[in-house]
Amino acid sequence: MGRSRSRMKNEINAGSMADIAFLLLIFFLVTTQIVEDKGIRVMLPPWSEEEPDITKLNKRNVFSVLVNAQNQLLVRGELADITQLRERAKEFISNPTKREDLSENPRKAIISLKNDRGTNYKTYLSVYNELKAAYNELWDEESQRMYGKPYSDQLPIALRKAVRDKFPLVLSEAEPTAFGEE
Amino acid sequence: MSKFKKKRGAASPEVSTASLPDIIFMLLFFFMVVTVLRDSELKLAVVTPEATELTKLVEKSLVNNIYVGKPKEKFQREYGTAPRMQLGDKFAEISEIPVFLEQHKVKVPEKKRNRITTSLKVDGAVTMGIIQDVKTKLRKSGQLIVNYSAKPRAN
């Protein structure tokens, strides 16, 4: 053979490999989103043509919350502020002092939420958030009482279910009114 | 003394960079596995409200997104300023929701289909009218697990 180069020197220069890998890395860093999606999880009721009638229920068991197009709250027939909503809902559900006008027991308690088509989404969501927070706090207290542990994802599913069965979350949403401007 | 004296040459020894590409590749693969590609360009201005009772959406492949909000400025001449809905990467009408859900559903393995979640990414300033219409359509299409997307609120 004419060539006298040894086989050992026939290597590809891998010095630029790092640069190529860096380029790819930066591309992925730029195009990806790290933000995770969080939110309030809701189970919608299956569609039915007729509306559930809550007027048939015992009035003391219904905690009605109305939100109008001006984002004002009407809780059980009287004007209320959103900051009181959580406490009032908790008191209504658990009824610690056995008042006549609050729910007979937590299993019978129903929260009825009704809004207007002109209600702000932000207001609606914060109302929903407060109502859910009321239940979460009740679950937490119950869990502390029963197991001495906070109600969290770490708790076994069976225990969580036992807590939830004592305070079942029943939130009924009525068809909204259409008084306000959309 | 002289027993331990090292025999150093005039040229200082170089650190080998041969393993650098491997390290970078490892980083690269980590990012490729951990992250999800941005799926669609957002044509609406969406600032989700803040809330405290949040749950995390675990499996990204089981989530479909519905955006509601005002069109961004560059689309306002064409689509106006009233709140609109976006499915995938285009503006859509409420009536297109069932088709959109079906398109997503066929990509999901059959046994996981009952866990499909719809994430509603809605701007805080939108009124409930359009959201009610979306919700009604979702209920009619049998998509009942819904997530109102929100940001965590600092207490």
Side-chain angles (χ1 to χ4, degrees), chain A residues 108-136:
Chain A
K108 285 189 179 163
I110 286 178
I111 291 179
S112 151
L113 176 60
K114 191 170 183 172
N115 60 279
D116 191 87
R117 287 181 73 89
T119 307
N120 240 333
Y121 175 69
K122 198 176 169 186
T123 313
Y124 168 81
L125 202 69
S126 48
V127 168
Y128 208 107
N129 186 55
E130 289 304 308
L131 295 174
K132 194 147 190 215
Y135 270 103
N136 274 340

Side-chain angles (χ1 to χ4, degrees), chain B residues 44-106:
Chain B
L44 309 167
V46 175
V47 181
T48 51
E50 293 177 347
T52 52
E53 313 304 310
L54 301 174
T55 31
K56 214 159 99 180
L57 289 179
V58 192
E59 262 184 275
K60 277 256 167 70
S61 60
L62 297 179
V63 177
N64 47 45
N65 294 309
I66 294 180
Y67 302 94
V68 181
K70 278 185 185 165
K72 276 182 183 166
E73 218 162 278
K74 57 180 169 181
F75 299 105
Q76 278 183 2
R77 261 185 51 215
E78 208 175 330
Y79 296 100
T81 52
R84 290 289 302 263
M85 188 182 70
Q86 183 181 338
L87 296 173
D89 52 4
K90 56 184 187 293
F91 288 100
E93 298 300 326
I94 305 284
S95 56
E96 293 170 47
I97 289 179
V99 179
F100 171 75
L101 291 175
E102 200 55 43
Q103 278 169 352
H104 173 252
K105 206 178 208 170
V106 292

Side-chain angles (χ1 to χ4, degrees), chain A residues 14 17-18 21-22 24-25 28-49 86 115-126 128-130 132-133 136 173-176 181-182, chain B residues 20-21 24-25 27-28 31-32 35-39 49 51-57 60 63 65 117 119-133 135-136 138-140 143-150 153:
Chain A
M17 191 86 113
F22 258 124
L24 276 170
L25 178 67
F28 270 92
L29 276 175
V30 170
T31 50
T32 47
Q33 46 186 359
I34 302 166
V35 281
E36 51 188 5
D37 201 358
K38 279 184 173 180
I40 299 180
R41 204 182 144 92
V42 173
M43 199 71 189
L44 298 179
W47 177 255
S48 68
E49 285 304 325
R86 190 185 299 201
N115 60 279
D116 191 87
R117 287 181 73 89
T119 307
N120 240 333
Y121 175 69
K122 198 176 169 186
T123 313
Y124 168 81
L125 202 69
S126 48
Y128 208 107
N129 186 55
E130 289 304 308
K132 194 147 190 215
N136 274 340
E173 282 186 78
E175 193 62 27
E181 218 174 289
E182 278 186 40
Chain B
L20 193 59
I24 307 295
F25 265 116
L27 267 174
L28 177 66
F31 273 96
M32 280 171 76
T35 50
V36 184
L37 278 173
R38 214 173 285 234
D39 51 357
T52 52
E53 313 304 310
L54 301 174
T55 31
K56 214 159 99 180
L57 289 179
K60 277 256 167 70
V63 177
N65 294 309
T117 309
S119 180
L120 287 177
K121 297 198 167 121
V122 183
D123 189 68
V126 169
T127 50
M128 284 303 287
I130 186 168
I131 299 158
Q132 193 59 42
D133 296 339
K135 267 164 71 181
T136 309
L138 286 174
R139 283 172 66 191
K140 282 183 177 170
Q143 172 60 49
L144 301 177
I145 309 173
V146 169
N147 177 66
Y148 295 122
S149 190
R153 184 196 292 157

